[in-house]
Amino acid sequence: MDSKECYIKMQDVNLYYPSHVYNAKTLKQEVFSLLHLKHTKEKLQDVHALKNFNLEIREGERLGVIGFNGAGKSTLLKTLAGIYPIASGSMDIQGEVRSMFELTLGFEMESTGRENIMYRGLMLGATPEEVKMREQEIIDFAELGEFIDYPIRSYSSGMLVRLAFAISTSVKGDILLVDEVLSAGDINFQKKARKRMIDVMESAKILVLVLHDMKTIQNVCTRTIFIRQGEIVADGKPEDVVKEYLGNM
């Protein structure tokens, strides 16, 4: 990991979802439109997802991000992860970024669990040597036993989530982005998963956590922002911002 001080700086950042994503028609919609069986919907404009967004996070901060559905919380995380390109403004990030959302992203369903450990580990930024070194620990934590050498298309949903969680929490970084993944698997697995998640979060130099559980936000975070329609409407102590959020419900 980098020895320099970690930080995140966003200044006047604007991000749009392109309208073609929403305006694209399925084959069924095209046929209905040609036969005049369905009302032609009005063309949608680009969605302004983050609006002149300004945010600075310093090393040591645990930032909670709260807001109603569609407010821009997950968009913010994916922008910080480099998944969504910004349209204008500037973004400066110092530190190795690791993200935990969409845990099964990058899985190859026809490949074995063991092969997917390598695929997913590399995707998270680890070297092949680092993945091999952690492989057995991942297998043990996921409680898959001999199934690790079966194609994952044969896994139950619980087995798949356990494997995904074990891999994702094995690769640590300076800056950790977490979106609603504090629990995984069945009730027995959740207890040790939660402990591991807390250990991973505590080891990060910066944590950005999106969660609907206000109690956890207040217990884990040192600072919280409340986002509404792509803008920060409150920024401060978790208990104060959560109180304002609940008052707006």
Side-chain angles (χ1 to χ4, degrees):
M1 292 186 189
D2 204 311
S3 59
K4 295 180 181 179
E5 184 177 357
C6 295
Y7 60 78
I8 294 172
K9 295 179 182 177
M10 302 176 74
Q11 185 171 3
D12 297 325
V13 167
N14 286 282
L15 182 141
Y16 296 85
Y17 289 135
S19 58
H20 68 77
V21 173
Y22 299 93
N23 291 321
K25 288 184 178 180
T26 64
L27 178 59
K28 179 181 176 182
Q29 288 171 328
E30 289 283 5
V31 171
F32 275 27
S33 178
L34 287 170
L35 296 176
H36 304 290
L37 295 176
K38 191 173 183 179
H39 176 67
T40 302
K41 67 179 181 180
E42 188 176 330
K43 288 278 187 180
L44 297 173
Q45 301 300 311
D46 288 355
V47 176
H48 199 170
L50 295 179
K51 305 170 183 175
N52 297 313
F53 206 88
N54 290 285
L55 178 65
E56 184 170 346
I57 311 172
R58 309 301 306 186
E59 185 170 316
E61 287 193 295
R62 271 78 182 108
L63 180 72
V65 182
I66 61 178
F68 306 116
N69 290 336
K73 306 183 299 298
S74 295
T75 298
L76 172 61
L77 287 195
K78 290 177 181 177
T79 302
L80 294 175
I83 296 172
Y84 293 161
I86 64 175
S88 63
S90 64
M91 188 165 66
D92 183 15
I93 298 177
Q94 175 65 52
E96 198 173 37
V97 178
R98 293 286 180 264
S99 57
M100 287 192 66
F101 36 84
E102 299 176 14
L103 292 183
T104 57
L105 182 67
F107 271 5
E108 293 288 339
M109 301 306 290
E110 296 301 319
S111 300
T112 67
R114 193 182 302 275
E115 289 167 336
N116 273 286
I117 289 174
M118 181 60 71
Y119 299 154
R120 178 68 175 162
L122 294 175
M123 194 172 150
L124 289 171
T127 65
E129 293 75 21
E130 288 172 333
V131 178
K132 288 300 291 183
M133 186 174 66
R134 296 172 180 143
E135 181 182 88
Q136 191 56 51
E137 190 273 336
I138 291 170
I139 295 169
D140 293 342
F141 190 89
E143 303 172 0
L144 291 176
E146 63 181 17
F147 286 100
I148 197 62
D149 291 308
Y150 284 55
I152 63 171
R153 59 175 164 73
S154 65
Y155 287 13
S156 67
S157 58
M159 292 166 70
L160 200 60
V161 168
R162 293 203 307 269
L163 177 61
F165 183 87
I167 299 170
S168 295
T169 53
S170 71
V171 180
K172 298 180 181 179
D174 300 316
I175 299 170
L176 182 63
L177 313 175
V178 182
D179 191 355
E180 297 286 351
V181 291
L182 285 186
S183 62
D186 59 29
I187 193 69
N188 295 321
F189 186 79
Q190 282 183 19
K191 189 173 182 179
K192 72 173 186 176
R194 192 172 183 85
K195 181 181 183 304
R196 176 152 166 160
M197 193 67 229
I198 290 171
D199 291 341
V200 170
M201 291 193 299
E202 287 179 346
S203 71
K205 294 180 180 179
I206 289 176
L207 170 70
V208 184
L209 174 64
V210 169
L211 202 63
H212 283 99
D213 181 350
M214 296 300 113
K215 184 176 180 181
T216 300
I217 286 285
Q218 293 180 82
N219 289 340
V220 172
C221 299
T222 59
R223 172 187 168 198
T224 299
I225 59 173
F226 171 20
I227 298 179
R228 184 167 55 207
Q229 297 180 339
E231 298 178 293
I232 297 175
V233 294
D235 182 348
K237 294 180 179 179
E239 56 269 29
D240 295 337
V241 178
V242 167
K243 184 177 180 180
E244 182 167 345
Y245 167 73
L246 294 175
N248 277 267
M249 290 187 73

